[in-house]
Amino acid sequence: MLYINHKTFWSFQNHGEQQPFLASPAIASNKIVIGNYDNNIYCIDAQSGKMVWKFLTAGKVEGSASIAKNKVIVGSRDGFVYIIDLNTGKQLWSF
């Protein structure tokens, strides 16, 4: 949810298994990126609260993402670290 001065501007809910968001979000270029226990990494438009993209991993995403130079860096319980394009949600690299 986005709160400003105790007012809710929007809220976002993943419609899959409705698993929790435990990590802190990363914010850059008007986008909010956060991982979820449903194995997805979500990118949400900061103004509207609408999903821009989601990226499926093979494990829960508990750790916080980082954003640098339009790239999202995040790990998953599947044992991989991913680099994802911030604008498209496409995987650029994993290890």
Side-chain angles (χ1 to χ4, degrees):
M1 291 187 191
L2 178 64
Y3 293 104
I4 299 175
N5 296 329
H6 304 285
K7 180 178 177 184
T8 303
F9 281 84
W10 57 260
S11 65
F12 177 82
Q13 183 176 7
N14 55 328
H15 294 288
E17 298 177 32
Q18 298 183 350
Q19 296 293 320
F21 291 95
L22 296 182
S24 298
I27 303 170
S29 301
N30 202 38
K31 294 179 177 76
I32 299 169
V33 178
I34 189 166
N36 188 271
Y37 258 43
D38 69 359
N39 301 358
N40 284 292
I41 299 160
Y42 291 90
C43 180
I44 303 161
D45 181 274
Q47 293 296 320
S48 68
K50 301 221 184 288
M51 185 173 62
V52 177
W53 53 259
K54 70 179 179 178
F55 179 85
L56 181 62
T57 73
K60 296 175 181 178
V61 183
E62 298 173 315
S64 301
S66 294
I67 299 173
K69 296 185 180 180
N70 288 320
K71 293 176 178 68
V72 177
I73 302 98
V74 65
S76 169
R77 289 199 70 186
D78 64 7
F80 285 92
V81 173
Y82 296 94
I83 296 181
I84 303 163
D85 185 280
L86 177 62
N87 297 310
T88 66
K90 301 291 183 196
Q91 178 179 322
L92 301 174
W93 179 87
S94 67
F95 180 76

